[in-house]
Amino acid sequence: MIRRQCLEPTGLTIPQAAQNLGITRQSLTELLNERKGLSPEMASRLAEVFGSTAETWLGMQMAYDQWQAHGVSSHETRNSSACDQALVL
C-alpha cells in the first residue's frame, strides 16, 4: 500500500522516503516487505509526510492484521479438529 499509494506516484525512492520519514532505509524496507507492522509512531510519520491522519494509517494496519488473522484461522479451521480449534482460540 505505501509503495503503491505513496512512493510510486511521487517518484520517491526508498532511501529518499526513509530520509523524509526520519527512519533508516532498512526500517522502511521491513515495513514495505511486511516484515514489520505499522507502529503508532510510524503512522504519525506517514501522516506528516504523505498526508491523511495517523488514525487512518493505523486503521489500515488493523484491517490488514484482521485480514491476515482471518486467513490463517480459516485455514486452521478447515484442517483441524474441534479440540485443536479450541486451543487456537
Side-chain angles (χ1 to χ4, degrees):
M1 166 91 187
I2 296 168
R3 188 184 314 267
R4 280 192 322 265
Q5 302 270 332
C6 300
L7 300 184
E8 291 174 2
T10 61
L12 286 173
T13 64
I14 291 172
Q16 291 169 330
Q19 183 177 8
N20 290 349
L21 291 164
I23 61 173
T24 66
R25 179 195 56 78
Q26 181 64 33
S27 289
L28 182 56
T29 299
E30 289 173 353
L31 181 64
L32 295 174
N33 292 328
E34 301 175 11
R35 290 191 301 259
K36 185 190 281 187
L38 187 67
S39 69
E41 180 184 347
M42 181 61 74
S44 294
R45 290 172 186 252
L46 289 168
E48 184 178 320
V49 173
F50 295 114
S52 197
T53 64
E55 291 78 15
T56 298
W57 286 105
L58 288 170
M60 288 187 279
Q61 178 68 50
M62 187 169 54
Y64 176 77
D65 292 344
Q66 289 175 333
W67 177 78
Q68 288 283 13
H70 178 21
V72 170
S73 97
S74 292
H75 177 73
E76 288 174 354
T77 300
R78 288 191 305 269
N79 295 315
S80 62
S81 70
C83 290
D84 291 338
Q85 290 174 30
L87 292 174
V88 170
L89 298 175

